[in-house]
Amino acid sequence: MTTALRVPEELSARVPAEQRGPGLDRDAVRLLVSCGTAVSHHAFAELPRLLRAGDLLVVNTSPTLAAAVDGRVGHARVVVHFSMRGDDGRWAVELREPDGNGTTHARAGTRAGTGVRLPGGGRMVLEEPLSTRGERLWWARTSADVGGVLREHGRPIRYSYTERDQPLSAYQTVFALPSADGAGSAEMPSAARPFTARLVTELVSRGVQFAPITLHTGVSSAEVHEPPYAERFAVPEASARLINDVKAGEGRVVAVGTTAVRAVESAAGADGVVRAAAGWTELVVTPGRGVRVVDGLLTGLHEPEASHLLMLEAVAGRAAIERSYEEALGGLYLWHEFGDVHLILPGDGPHTGHCVSNSQ
């Protein structure tokens, strides 16, 4: 993505759509549709008429956790972002500093051995950086039951572009299901946020199918835009079979969110066949790697420096993404998790045909 594109601060979505006016619901956002380099503008509620019978939406069922907790390092206040639980019982965490406005910014100078006091009397010690990329995320060992701490003292992770704290319910999608082990996403799989039960019912009535997968998202970086770390995922047998059936027919496989892309592409072999899979994925989808499964993608709008844009380019090509983002900026679309949405349908390929259906 060209760095000439910059997102003005006023285009950050500061509150959820349903809080912007009386009578609004989650689906009261705009939908930018790109088909190759052709772009059109719609309301999200039009989605059932923009897809067609036989299309398949791959949706992430991971619930969002109240992953931000207040703590103290010595006498200093910190905010702990719990990213994910490792197989050895440690947690990947990020320490951030309150900025006085209810939000946080990255904390500098964190080092191994740093001790953190958690609410309820628990303690946590940072042991080592999560990777050699940097020292933003750390593996930490804690004496506390983290699940209990999050349930009792946690709140959703919030970044500075939002106006105020929101209840956890504002960060749950209609597809979210509780995990048996209490696992979930540190940050909302936000591409699915505009869906409502009413809209899902209309999509099903028009012959659009759904394939559930799970990918628990870790903490992203609002400042650094790093590639994603390893994340836990699961593609069940029934969903793998449904995806393969649609690929073999005339329908299109459209991932709802970059998390859904990462999960299904991690479960696909070199032959493009999706097989049931579960575990950790380190896959980073880039234009060089390409995509083997998805034909399209429904996603939020990402800042020009964001690593997710490489995945978008893998689906549709760089020219298509640059063209759509120019349109989004010119059209004053809203960015981030409470913002507007982008439906990407490649302009060529065996499953494209007419990019959108306007059938009534």
Side-chain angles (χ1 to χ4, degrees), residues 87-101:
D87 293 335
D88 61 0
R90 296 187 298 176
W91 277 81
V93 302
E94 179 188 32
L95 298 190
R96 296 178 71 91
E97 294 182 356
D99 67 2
N101 297 313

Side-chain angles (χ1 to χ4, degrees), residues 158-219:
R158 173 193 164 201
Y159 292 115
S160 59
Y161 48 77
T162 56
E163 184 175 290
R164 56 181 176 269
D165 286 342
Q166 297 287 341
L168 184 59
S169 59
Y171 289 86
Q172 301 294 4
T173 75
V174 72
F175 304 111
L177 296 172
S179 299
D181 60 358
S185 289
E187 298 184 4
M188 172 177 54
S190 56
R193 191 186 190 279
F195 284 87
T196 62
R198 179 183 64 251
L199 191 69
V200 170
T201 299
E202 184 178 355
L203 284 161
V204 171
S205 73
R206 289 175 175 268
V208 175
Q209 303 179 85
F210 290 83
I213 57 86
T214 301
L215 186 137
H216 298 310
T217 67
V219 174

Side-chain angles (χ1 to χ4, degrees), residues 101-302:
N101 297 313
T103 56
T104 64
H105 59 272
R107 186 176 193 270
T110 302
R111 57 179 59 87
T114 297
V116 182
R117 297 197 307 277
L118 299 173
R123 292 188 63 83
M124 182 177 72
V125 177
L126 306 190
E127 293 190 342
E128 60 182 331
L130 195 61
S131 80
T132 57
R133 290 188 212 162
E135 297 182 349
R136 185 177 67 84
L137 286 173
W138 288 76
W139 284 117
R141 200 170 296 277
T142 176
S143 64
D145 168 22
V146 172
V149 171
L150 299 187
R151 287 190 296 273
E152 188 170 351
H153 303 285
R155 61 185 179 275
I157 289 174
R158 173 193 164 201
Y159 292 115
S160 59
Y161 48 77
T162 56
E163 184 175 290
R164 56 181 176 269
D165 286 342
Q166 297 287 341
L168 184 59
S169 59
Y171 289 86
Q172 301 294 4
T173 75
V174 72
F175 304 111
L177 296 172
S179 299
D181 60 358
S185 289
E187 298 184 4
M188 172 177 54
S190 56
R193 191 186 190 279
F195 284 87
T196 62
R198 179 183 64 251
L199 191 69
V200 170
T201 299
E202 184 178 355
L203 284 161
V204 171
S205 73
R206 289 175 175 268
V208 175
Q209 303 179 85
F210 290 83
I213 57 86
T214 301
L215 186 137
H216 298 310
T217 67
V219 174
S220 64
S221 171
E223 299 87 14
V224 184
H225 299 300
E226 303 158 311
Y229 289 89
E231 294 168 319
R232 286 174 55 194
F233 81 105
V235 176
E237 175 64 40
S239 293
R241 185 165 54 248
L242 184 54
I243 292 168
N244 292 330
D245 288 346
V246 169
K247 292 292 288 184
E250 297 299 318
R252 298 169 295 187
V253 176
V254 179
V256 177
T258 57
T259 62
V261 176
R262 196 181 201 197
V264 296
E265 293 291 332
S266 296
D271 56 2
V273 175
V274 178
R275 298 169 177 85
W280 292 86
T281 177
E282 296 184 351
L283 176 65
V284 178
V285 178
T286 64
R289 188 267 187 190
V291 289
R292 299 168 179 171
V293 180
V294 301
D295 302 302
L297 172 61
L298 183 71
T299 184
L301 294 165
H302 305 279

Side-chain angles (χ1 to χ4, degrees), residues 1-12 223 225 302-306 309 325-326 328-330 332-333 335-336:
M1 173 68 68
T2 175
T3 56
L5 293 178
R6 297 294 179 185
V7 181
E9 185 177 341
E10 59 268 23
L11 294 186
S12 294
E223 299 87 14
H225 299 300
H302 305 279
E303 292 185 350
E305 303 89 351
L309 285 173
Y325 270 56
E326 290 169 356
L329 285 170
L332 303 181
Y333 277 68
W335 257 250
H336 303 304

